[in-house]
Amino acid sequence: MSLRTPGPAELAPTPSAAQRLAAWGLRVFGALLFIAALLFGASKAPDRSLESLVPQWAPPPSDFIELGGQPIHLRDQGPAADPTPIVLLHGTSSSLHTWEGWVKALSRERRVISVDLPGFGLSGPSPSGDYRDAAYQKFLAALLDHLKLERVILGGNSLGGQIAWQFAAAQPQRVAALILVDAAGYPLAPRDVPLAWRVSALPLIGPLSDHLLPRKLVEFSLRQVYGQPERVNAPLVDRYFELTLRAGNRTALRQRLAQWGGGEQAGLISKLRLPTLILWGERDRLLPPSDGQAFARDIAGSRLVLLPGLGHVPQEEDPAASLKPVLEFLHTLKP
């Protein structure tokens, strides 16, 4: 029998599974950086100043007030003598414009106040960079104080709905009724998260989103949250696209997603004791109708209305159909 001396390749240790995974990860990381560089070059979108956006997106009756060291964009419409105004709060990545279909009808008889929340729309980023639940509660209290509103009807969609019910739980004496529209609050288990949010949340790619914004990404994300994607049109995409470019909003979105609490205060929902209307798009893929059913179960005496064919933003997708149960609900409330 002859003996053979092993070669260098045979003497080298076989890479472990962890080493192979690390090598694969480096290759993927390199590929992601390359793709990110291409996207950056192709989709670079500079910030837009507030002043450049105001003529298009804040004509009368838009107004600005200062709260917490930042300008806050709002609209205050309808009869000023209304003893219990309606305050409407939009969702993540949206603006007060999402309510305009409702406001046009509601303001004929009611005072209606809509506002761009800190981090979004023309209000822009919070100077503190704080977008946690407690910060939004503090903001809403300051807004009502500034407007000298002792008691209101709060309506909110998605994040705005969460702010509304949390505020009602914390300060029930200031809230006469709730209108929750596909509201956040329970642990998130979405069927379909908007692609723009997923990109912003990525630890390596996300920071690049502060400087780029493909318009197609905005359109795709809107189509994800509409129950009938064919309703997404060019003017709608333009609005979301341009308001997202407002200086600081893209960074604010990343910070908000990083600070999101994930339903940690859901236990407070069952403590609510006030008239509550719950509206839910049956085709909502972000917050499923089962969440609406959970709100109806946990808020004693509440009413749930499912909206056929509509998605996560029914007030925007079909203002007339989504407003009908709201008008009926408001007529049942005591003056």
Side-chain angles (χ1 to χ4, degrees), residues 164-180:
W165 69 254
Q166 287 182 350
F167 188 84
Q171 301 196 45
Q173 75 283 1
R174 302 195 73 171
V175 185
L178 281 174
I179 302 169
L180 303 180

Side-chain angles (χ1 to χ4, degrees), residues 4-21:
R4 182 173 65 85
T5 302
E10 296 174 285
L11 290 173
T14 302
S16 67
Q19 290 171 324
R20 292 196 299 273
L21 182 61

Side-chain angles (χ1 to χ4, degrees), residues 287-301:
L287 299 178
S290 58
D291 279 13
Q293 293 163 353
F295 273 109
R297 176 198 67 215
D298 289 344
I299 302 177

Side-chain angles (χ1 to χ4, degrees), residues 253-264:
L253 174 60
R254 287 197 301 108
Q255 292 173 325
R256 166 60 193 168
L257 294 175
Q259 295 169 17
W260 175 64
E264 59 188 14

Side-chain angles (χ1 to χ4, degrees), residues 91-172:
T92 299
S93 296
S94 190
S95 66
L96 59 76
H97 302 84
T98 193
W99 300 109
E100 284 307 286
W102 278 23
V103 173
K104 185 177 180 180
L106 287 172
S107 61
R108 294 172 189 149
E109 298 181 6
R110 303 298 302 262
R111 183 181 177 188
V112 186
I113 299 156
S114 53
V115 59
D116 283 348
L117 295 168
F120 307 107
L122 295 180
S123 292
S126 166
S128 67
D130 188 353
Y131 303 101
R132 293 171 296 177
D133 293 350
Y136 279 119
Q137 297 306 305
K138 183 178 178 181
F139 163 78
L140 182 52
L143 176 67
L144 299 187
D145 289 344
H146 181 91
L147 298 174
K148 296 180 171 55
L149 302 177
E150 295 183 2
R151 200 159 182 258
V152 299
I153 296 169
L154 277 182
N157 171 233
S158 196
L159 165 64
Q162 177 173 292
I163 295 170
W165 69 254
Q166 287 182 350
F167 188 84
Q171 301 196 45

Side-chain angles (χ1 to χ4, degrees), residues 16-259:
S16 67
Q19 290 171 324
R20 292 196 299 273
L21 182 61
W24 177 83
L26 286 173
R27 289 195 296 272
V28 171
F29 177 65
L32 286 174
L33 285 180
F34 178 70
I35 293 170
L38 291 177
L39 286 173
F40 185 82
S43 306
K44 188 174 181 181
D47 281 341
R48 295 279 305 274
S49 69
L50 172 60
E51 293 74 17
S52 69
L53 293 166
V54 163
Q56 175 69 23
W57 304 111
S62 280
D63 195 8
F64 287 85
I65 61 173
E66 185 173 328
L67 281 181
Q70 75 172 116
I72 297 297
H73 177 219
L74 58 79
R75 290 179 178 173
D76 189 342
Q77 302 174 74
D82 188 343
T84 313
I86 301 168
V87 176
L88 298 173
L89 307 173
H90 64 77
T92 299
S93 296
S94 190
S95 66
L96 59 76
H97 302 84
T98 193
W99 300 109
E100 284 307 286
W102 278 23
V103 173
K104 185 177 180 180
L106 287 172
S107 61
R108 294 172 189 149
E109 298 181 6
R110 303 298 302 262
R111 183 181 177 188
V112 186
I113 299 156
S114 53
V115 59
D116 283 348
L117 295 168
F120 307 107
L122 295 180
S123 292
S126 166
S128 67
D130 188 353
Y131 303 101
R132 293 171 296 177
D133 293 350
Y136 279 119
Q137 297 306 305
K138 183 178 178 181
F139 163 78
L140 182 52
L143 176 67
L144 299 187
D145 289 344
H146 181 91
L147 298 174
K148 296 180 171 55
L149 302 177
E150 295 183 2
R151 200 159 182 258
V152 299
I153 296 169
L154 277 182
N157 171 233
S158 196
L159 165 64
Q162 177 173 292
I163 295 170
W165 69 254
Q166 287 182 350
F167 188 84
Q171 301 196 45
Q173 75 283 1
R174 302 195 73 171
V175 185
L178 281 174
I179 302 169
L180 303 180
V181 186
D182 295 71
Y186 295 97
L188 189 62
R191 291 170 53 193
D192 202 356
V193 176
L195 181 58
W197 295 6
R198 284 185 277 171
V199 171
S200 293
L202 290 172
L204 298 176
I205 305 301
L208 289 176
S209 66
D210 293 357
H211 309 285
L212 57 86
L213 185 67
R215 190 178 181 282
K216 281 291 184 184
L217 177 63
V218 175
E219 180 180 356
F220 184 82
S221 297
L222 281 171
R223 292 175 68 85
Q224 284 182 285
V225 298
Y226 267 53
Q228 300 177 52
E230 64 273 13
R231 295 190 178 198
V232 174
N233 55 38
L236 179 70
V237 177
D238 286 343
R239 189 186 85 212
Y240 275 88
F241 177 69
E242 293 190 21
L243 293 179
T244 301
L245 292 179
R246 195 265 197 230
N249 277 358
R250 284 174 282 184
T251 299
L253 174 60
R254 287 197 301 108
Q255 292 173 325
R256 166 60 193 168
L257 294 175
Q259 295 169 17

